[in-house]
Amino acid sequence: GVKDGRWTVLQLVEALGFCLENTDPRTRGRGIQLLSQVLLQCYSLLQEKEVLHLVLFYESRLQDHHLVIPSVLQGLRALSMCEVLSPGLAVSVLKAIFQEVHVQSLMQLDRHTVYSIITNFMSTREEELKGLGADFTFGFIQVMDGEKDPRNLLVAFQIVRDLIAKDYALGPFVEELFEVTSCYFPVDFTPPPNDPHGIQREDLILSLRAVLASTTQFAEFLLPLLIEKLDSELQSAKLDSLQTLTACCAIYGQKELQEFLPSLWSSLRREVFQTASERIETECLAALRALSVCLSRSVLSSDSEDLLDSFLSSILQDCRHHLCEPDMKLVWPSAKLLQAAAGASLRTYHHITRSVLPLLLEQYTKHTQSSQRRTILEMLLGFLELQQKWGHVEEDESTLLSLQAPVCSVVFSALTDPSVQLQLVGIKALTVLGSLQGFLSSSDLELVVDHLIRLALHEEDSQSSEAAMEAAGSLAPTYPKVFSGRMVPRLEQELQSEREESYHNHCSLQQRCLQALAAVSTHTSIVRETVPVLLQHLQKVQKGTEARNTQDMVSVCQSLHRVALQCQQDAEGCWYFHQTVVPCLLAMAVQAAMQESTHTLPGKALLEEEVLAAMIPVISAATTHLSPELAAQSVSHVVPLFLDGEVSFLPQNSFPCSFQPFGDGECLEAQRRLVALLMAFICSLPRDVAIPQQEWLLRELLALSCSCNCPFTATTAAKCFAGLVNKHPAGQQLDEILQLAVNRMEPGLAEGPRRTQALTLLLWVTKALVLRYHPLSSCLTDKLLGLLGDTELGPAAADGFSLLMAESPDVLHKGCHADVRIMFRQRFFTDNVPKLVQGFHGAGPDVKANYLKGLSHVLNHLPRPVLVTELPTLLSLLLEALSCSDRVVQLSTLSCLHPLLLEAPQIMSLHVDTLVTKFLNLTSSPAMAVRIAALRCAHALTSLPTTVLLPYKGRVIRALAKPLDDKKRLVRKEAVAARGEWFLLGSPGR
């Protein structure tokens, strides 16, 4: 009635008169409870005068019997949300609560109501409450004092934060406010199991920390507390104290810290020197950095002491001498402390490095052992990396610039040391020095390049060689002229040189030259130098007749692929690479195919599957990041090349015959193989690029995939067809081409010599449609499920489920702009696993394994949370799959079960007897991969509840003794790990 306007609240009060004035407190309580519930729903409808009368009524009731108070507070909460509350009433209500209610004797919900009333008034009546002065703060302290419930504490901590942030008067009650909150520090709270409120210990920690670190007025009380907790034995207290100290440094200045700096430094130093906990060490270093930042930030008056200088001097005094002992255990803790302080500001960096860098350089020269030099150089590297934070090296203040010659000398000497580990640190240091603008002179840079070339090409250890190449790639964008003018010509010269050395060494050098050319191609101007060198070498290899031609071509393609990936984020470099490399690769491939067609040599190696497979990612990476305009320009040349034989855009396009990859005849078999390169290009185009003559192209690809005798060509044609179908706009044209594909597949699958090609096409088209949720995908999947019962095609069809679920490397993935819907795997699982299970139960014994294999492939690619949810219904089938004689089924099932043992131990423990038996049997499998997987599962069994496993402990330990003598080292390794874990099962502390 009140909501509809038929009653006023005052009429309701009159109607409740008997209850509200009743002598029985329970009856009065029920009357007020009803009134309060109405107010909570109707407070926005109240008039100002009604609110006034209600506030006065409720205030008077605060003196009533304790049974009535909860309902009174609910009513006041409703009134605290009224916008028409008269001035002064908020203060009146709070005064009444502070005076009349002993809040901490109330139930949790009622205490929460009081906090809500205070919060409401603070958000709407701030100025009125501030008029109370420090009395409001004192009143709140009384309300909060003794609170224990975490739900209420979160609200109370927020009120304290607001008191401080909104500048309420704390008056003489600063220490009391600190005491009433700091008594919870450090937070010791473990949420009960199945807690519906979801409050975690971390929530309370962060909320309390925000209070303690919100004002400098708490500093004199908080810092001694933090030092005390730092000196305790409790790890959690140490962590909380360090994190709180770091937070406080954001608002503190010299004044707050001055008295406590020696004690703080002493505690931090002790923890870093003595702790075994990496996390505590990390937090100590963060706190030291925060203290140094705080002191660096403080503005000094002319007569005040510079605390930063004295603080840093203390750090240097306690740590510097340890740097002279590179073999002693305190050298790294000392270095970390010094680096933490030096990383605070440019000023702290200069102060520390003025003292430390000359010492480290001196120590490097003094010590001759590689291990000691490595330790010293690693420390030096830490300080060099800090300089990167400040950018340009300032000439007037930088210690580093004054030590340029000795620093370079030390780093260069490390690069020529026989120790690989020292070389690796030297290469890192070289990269950092190169990143410091203005530090290296031109002669230094030339020396840097020479060292990198030597290490990349001639260093025996591959680690140093790879690190040198990475360093060249990092520095090349900063110094493109030096690298393109000095490094690229040297690499080209080495690549072309005909050395009189062993065949293996010559090939290894060529391989490294190719890798180095790719690694250094991180700037467009360098790419313009390296790409022609790589292509020229590929052409040279193509014309050769050596046995290693195939591997050499693959190596060049791998280098080109790396360059393509490095160019992708730079539009200019990407387009240069595409228009230079793609036509060249196509021209070389077409030339080789025509030579094959006319039976002329050389060039045959270029048509081998391995080489074409290496070209695919090059062309794909060169295409995926093109703008739609440039991609359209390129596609207008490539598609006519394959459909019409239009070769005019190719370099060196005088070919001995016409190019007809979709033509008939055995002599064109080599040309048909180049459909793989068409696939790489056309399936990587952005989705909004129109493809000329697309319908004709799709028909040709479909025909080729079904009629070609070469499995490689048929598969690439099917993949290309699927890639185009996946991106094709929905509509009549797509429906027609799909119907045509079904009409070609069905007779091919039924009988004849090309059933395998038809199955391959079915798999790729199904995948293309499953990814985009096309309606026809379910029909094609049903055809695939039907083939599981086929004795000839069944095993291949079962493996096809892996293809459907897995990420494809070259087509039909997001990187090449395919239409991939989220959660397609979950949808496929939901639609098809019941059919797989049903098919398994109805299948004959000779084809049951196909259904198990298909099921295990689907489950293996399913997100773990989904799999755990479905586990109870599928586990019995998975256990049956372990008895299957097919090794692929066994391996796939074991890899599926392994994570489930770790993530769903309660469900798995129900079948522990079967699991133990199956796993132990498979540890004797003839297949090494199955033995390893079974041992890993036996190891993972130890994550199940100990009480469930103990009856099997002796049996398992005896059974695992046999694989300890396995002839394969990897099997023995897994057996040792598994058996050791079973031995420890049930031990104290486990």
Side-chain angles (χ1 to χ4, degrees):
V2 174
K3 275 186 175 178
D4 296 342
R6 290 181 283 112
W7 287 67
T8 67
V9 171
L10 294 179
Q11 286 175 314
L12 176 62
V13 172
E14 289 173 10
L16 286 169
F18 169 75
C19 293
L20 299 178
E21 295 172 357
N22 198 289
T23 54
D24 179 21
R26 287 181 178 77
T27 306
R28 289 202 304 281
R30 283 198 294 274
I32 295 174
Q33 183 183 16
L34 176 58
L35 178 60
S36 297
Q37 286 172 345
V38 172
L39 292 177
L40 282 167
Q41 293 192 46
C42 306
Y43 63 86
S44 59
L45 306 174
L46 297 175
Q47 303 297 317
E48 185 176 351
K49 193 172 181 183
E50 292 175 317
V51 173
L52 174 62
H53 288 301
L54 287 165
V55 166
L56 294 174
F57 167 72
Y58 273 105
E59 279 183 9
S60 67
R61 292 295 178 171
L62 285 172
Q63 300 172 2
D64 206 331
H65 194 278
H66 67 88
L67 291 174
V68 177
I69 300 300
S71 300
V72 175
L73 292 172
Q74 288 293 346
L76 288 172
R77 181 166 76 88
L79 295 171
S80 71
M81 294 185 281
C82 290
E83 293 181 7
V84 294
L85 197 71
S86 302
L89 287 182
V91 170
S92 174
V93 168
L94 288 179
K95 277 185 173 179
I97 291 173
F98 293 160
Q99 288 170 11
E100 305 297 342
V101 183
H102 184 245
V103 175
Q104 287 306 315
S105 66
L106 301 174
M107 299 292 284
Q108 178 272 326
L109 182 61
D110 304 323
R111 301 199 303 276
H112 193 279
T113 304
V114 174
Y115 295 127
S116 299
I117 294 168
I118 295 172
T119 301
N120 291 340
F121 282 146
M122 285 179 76
S123 62
T124 58
R125 297 288 188 272
E126 184 178 330
E127 292 307 317
E128 288 181 41
L129 267 53
K130 284 182 176 177
L132 274 170
D135 288 348
F136 175 59
T137 304
F138 180 66
F140 173 72
I141 290 170
Q142 287 181 304
V143 166
M144 182 185 172
D145 193 10
E147 182 58 68
K148 288 185 176 61
D149 191 278
R151 292 165 286 180
N152 292 348
L153 283 173
L154 285 176
V155 185
F157 290 155
Q158 181 61 53
I159 292 172
V160 179
R161 286 210 299 279
D162 289 342
L163 281 173
I164 294 165
K166 295 179 179 178
D167 207 22
Y168 282 79
L170 304 185
F173 304 115
V174 173
E175 186 172 2
E176 284 79 0
L177 187 61
F178 173 77
E179 291 295 338
V180 84
T181 50
S182 66
C183 63
Y184 302 101
F185 183 88
V187 171
D188 181 21
F189 168 67
T190 304
N194 306 318
D195 179 21
H197 308 292
I199 295 174
Q200 299 297 316
R201 179 170 174 268
E202 193 66 17
D203 299 327
L204 290 166
I205 288 173
L206 295 175
S207 190
L208 176 56
R209 185 176 302 151
V211 171
L212 298 177
S214 62
T215 174
T216 56
Q217 296 180 74
F218 285 167
E220 61 179 303
F221 315 114
L222 177 60
L223 290 173
L225 176 64
L226 295 181
I227 293 167
E228 177 195 330
K229 299 301 179 186
L230 259 177
D231 296 344
S232 74
E233 295 300 316
L234 201 61
Q235 296 275 335
S236 59
K238 289 178 190 283
L239 281 173
D240 209 349
S241 301
L242 290 165
Q243 289 166 348
T244 304
L245 175 60
T246 302
C248 289
C249 287
I251 63 164
Y252 286 4
Q254 285 207 162
K255 177 185 167 189
E256 287 76 26
L257 292 172
Q258 184 166 9
E259 182 186 343
F260 305 102
L261 272 178
S263 299
L264 286 169
W265 163 239
S266 175
S267 297
L268 293 174
R269 183 191 63 215
R270 184 195 65 246
E271 290 302 323
V272 173
F273 279 179
Q274 296 178 7
T275 187
S277 165
E278 194 176 325
R279 193 169 173 205
I280 286 181
E281 180 188 89
T282 302
E283 294 298 342
C284 280
L285 297 175
L288 179 59
R289 187 178 299 110
L291 283 169
S292 304
V293 168
C294 178
L295 296 174
S296 302
R297 192 177 55 232
S298 299
V299 179
L300 300 176
S301 57
S302 57
D303 57 343
S304 63
E305 180 193 354
D306 185 358
L307 276 183
L308 179 63
D309 270 354
S310 58
F311 183 60
L312 295 178
S313 297
S314 299
I315 297 172
L316 282 165
Q317 183 181 340
D318 291 342
C319 296
R320 187 178 183 274
H321 61 279
H322 291 302
L323 303 185
C324 302
E325 304 160 351
D327 292 330
M328 304 302 282
K329 69 173 187 177
L330 290 182
V331 64
W332 269 116
S334 299
K336 288 175 182 177
L337 286 165
L338 288 165
Q339 286 166 5
S345 66
L346 196 53
R347 190 174 157 212
T348 61
Y349 180 76
H350 289 319
H351 189 116
I352 298 285
T353 53
R354 258 200 315 271
S355 173
V356 170
L357 289 189
L359 175 67
L360 289 175
L361 294 169
E362 178 193 322
Q363 291 298 312
Y364 186 90
T365 310
K366 181 179 171 184
H367 292 87
T368 54
Q369 286 185 23
S370 295
S371 60
Q372 296 172 327
R373 285 189 158 193
R374 178 182 141 203
T375 301
I376 295 164
L377 189 56
E378 282 177 334
M379 290 189 284
L380 181 64
L381 175 61
F383 288 102
L384 294 178
E385 286 172 336
L386 290 174
Q387 176 70 60
Q388 287 179 300
K389 288 174 66 175
W390 319 117
H392 186 70
V393 182
E394 297 292 340
E395 290 187 26
D396 53 344
E397 283 191 63
S398 175
T399 309
L400 193 55
L401 207 59
S402 65
L403 297 170
Q404 181 185 16
V407 168
C408 287
S409 173
V410 161
V411 173
F412 290 151
S413 79
L415 298 178
T416 54
D417 194 274
S419 164
V420 173
Q421 297 306 316
L422 183 53
Q423 284 179 17
L424 292 173
V425 182
I427 292 168
K428 283 183 188 174
L430 194 66
T431 310
V432 174
L433 290 180
S435 69
L436 301 176
Q437 190 182 353
F439 184 81
L440 294 175
S441 65
S442 56
S443 59
D444 287 334
L445 280 170
E446 290 179 1
L447 200 53
V448 165
V449 172
D450 292 343
H451 277 298
L452 291 177
I453 293 172
R454 177 184 58 77
L455 288 165
L457 300 187
H458 304 296
E459 177 56 47
E460 283 185 22
D461 190 88
S462 61
Q463 278 183 287
S464 294
S465 174
E466 289 166 13
M469 291 181 200
E470 292 297 326
S474 299
L475 294 174
T478 311
Y479 309 102
K481 287 184 179 177
V482 179
F483 279 87
S484 61
R486 192 171 183 88
M487 189 166 189
V488 176
R490 287 273 300 279
L491 292 172
E492 183 180 5
Q493 183 183 348
E494 291 280 359
L495 194 60
Q496 294 172 350
S497 66
E498 299 291 339
R499 292 172 179 262
E500 290 191 9
E501 55 188 338
S502 73
Y503 178 73
H504 174 76
N505 288 343
H506 180 62
C507 292
S508 176
L509 179 63
Q510 283 205 340
Q511 183 89 355
R512 285 194 176 185
C513 283
L514 294 171
Q515 291 170 347
L517 282 165
V520 79
S521 302
T522 49
H523 188 274
T524 304
S525 65
I526 301 174
V527 172
R528 290 178 183 276
E529 302 287 334
T530 55
V531 164
V533 174
L534 291 168
L535 292 175
Q536 185 183 349
H537 185 68
L538 185 62
Q539 289 164 341
K540 177 186 170 186
V541 173
Q542 184 193 10
K543 292 170 185 171
T545 55
E546 287 92 349
R548 274 188 58 88
N549 274 11
T550 300
Q551 188 52 49
D552 288 345
M553 286 183 175
V554 170
S555 297
V556 179
C557 289
Q558 287 170 343
S559 290
L560 285 169
H561 181 227
R562 179 170 179 176
V563 178
L565 293 174
Q566 289 165 181
C567 288
Q568 283 181 338
Q569 303 310 317
D570 174 56
E572 181 192 347
C574 186
W575 178 234
Y576 167 77
F577 185 92
H578 181 89
Q579 65 177 354
T580 307
V581 174
V582 173
C584 183
L585 293 182
L586 289 172
M588 291 171 67
V590 170
Q591 180 78 42
M594 289 186 179
Q595 287 172 346
E596 178 80 1
S597 302
T598 55
H599 306 290
T600 58
L601 294 170
K604 190 174 181 180
L606 197 66
L607 300 176
E608 291 187 18
E609 283 182 32
E610 196 179 348
V611 178
L612 290 173
M615 283 186 174
I616 288 170
V618 179
I619 294 174
S620 179
T623 307
T624 52
H625 283 64
L626 289 181
S627 67
E629 298 76 25
L630 295 175
Q633 185 180 326
S634 191
V635 78
S636 66
H637 295 304
V638 176
V639 172
L641 167 68
F642 281 85
L643 289 179
D644 306 319
E646 179 54 62
V647 297
S648 58
F649 84 102
L650 298 177
Q652 304 166 358
N653 53 21
S654 55
F655 300 116
C657 61
S658 59
F659 182 56
Q660 300 172 297
F662 294 114
D664 295 326
E666 284 188 26
C667 64
L668 298 175
E669 182 57 48
Q671 295 188 17
R672 285 196 279 271
R673 293 168 77 82
L674 302 194
V675 169
L677 305 185
L678 173 66
M679 175 199 76
F681 171 78
I682 212 157
C683 291
S684 302
L685 291 167
R687 238 184 286 175
D688 52 356
V689 174
I691 296 169
Q693 306 174 84
Q694 184 170 8
E695 305 310 312
W696 179 18
L697 179 61
L698 282 165
R699 289 170 189 271
E700 294 285 10
L701 288 166
L702 180 59
L704 185 60
S705 67
C706 292
S707 61
C708 184
N709 291 322
C710 171
F712 176 77
T713 304
T715 301
T716 50
K719 288 161 78 171
C720 191
F721 179 83
L724 289 171
V725 162
N726 174 264
K727 296 180 189 177
H728 199 296
Q732 185 181 351
Q733 282 186 323
L734 177 61
D735 294 342
E736 287 175 2
I737 200 72
L738 287 174
Q739 189 56 52
L740 188 63
V742 171
N743 294 342
R744 290 295 294 263
M745 280 188 283
E746 283 182 338
L749 287 168
E751 57 184 3
R754 297 196 177 93
R755 295 187 76 197
T756 304
Q757 286 93 320
L759 174 61
T760 302
L761 179 63
L762 171 64
L763 286 169
W764 282 104
V765 174
T766 304
K767 183 177 179 74
L769 300 182
V770 163
L771 292 178
R772 63 179 281 178
Y773 290 179
H774 191 279
L776 186 61
S777 63
S778 58
C779 173
L780 297 183
T781 308
D782 288 343
K783 289 184 189 297
L784 189 60
L785 287 164
L787 289 172
L788 292 174
D790 188 295
T791 51
E792 181 190 348
L793 291 181
D799 286 330
F801 282 90
S802 176
L803 186 151
L804 294 181
M805 299 292 282
E807 185 86 2
S808 173
D810 44 11
V811 294
L812 296 177
H813 60 88
K814 286 186 178 179
C816 64
H817 312 289
D819 185 357
V820 181
R821 305 297 174 88
I822 59 169
M823 298 176 73
F824 78 89
R825 290 183 179 89
Q826 288 91 317
R827 179 168 174 168
F828 187 87
F829 171 86
T830 305
D831 292 346
N832 296 294
V833 164
K835 298 175 186 176
L836 276 168
V837 174
Q838 184 182 354
F840 168 79
H841 290 304
D846 54 336
V847 294
K848 273 185 179 291
N850 297 336
Y851 290 91
L852 289 174
K853 190 190 289 188
L855 177 66
S856 61
H857 283 316
V858 173
L859 298 181
N860 255 320
H861 292 95
L862 203 62
R864 293 288 170 239
V866 181
L867 188 52
V868 170
T869 308
E870 301 292 336
L871 186 58
T873 57
L874 295 171
L875 190 53
S876 59
L877 207 57
L878 285 172
L879 294 175
E880 194 167 338
L882 290 177
S883 303
C884 177
S885 59
D886 190 309
R887 292 174 188 176
V888 176
V889 175
Q890 292 173 349
L891 192 58
S892 187
T893 308
L894 287 168
S895 62
C896 184
L897 287 171
H898 182 267
L900 296 175
L901 289 164
L902 305 173
E903 293 170 29
Q906 297 303 325
I907 299 171
M908 301 298 277
S909 62
L910 300 174
H911 301 266
V912 66
D913 190 67
T914 310
L915 289 167
V916 168
T917 304
K918 302 276 189 189
F919 293 158
L920 294 181
N921 289 341
L922 289 173
T923 58
S924 304
S925 166
M928 183 183 81
V930 174
R931 296 201 301 277
I932 290 173
L935 286 165
R936 284 178 180 161
C937 286
H939 188 168
L941 273 173
T942 57
S943 63
L944 303 188
T946 305
T947 50
V948 174
L949 296 175
L950 281 175
Y952 303 92
K953 181 175 177 179
R955 175 186 164 193
V956 173
I957 289 171
R958 285 192 300 274
L960 292 180
K962 185 183 174 185
L964 291 177
D965 295 325
D966 198 281
K967 60 186 177 182
K968 295 293 186 181
R969 183 183 61 82
L970 293 175
V971 176
R972 296 196 299 272
K973 180 183 172 186
E974 293 295 340
V976 168
R979 198 163 184 257
E981 204 62 37
W982 275 90
F983 261 118
L984 293 171
L985 196 72
S987 304
R990 297 291 291 179

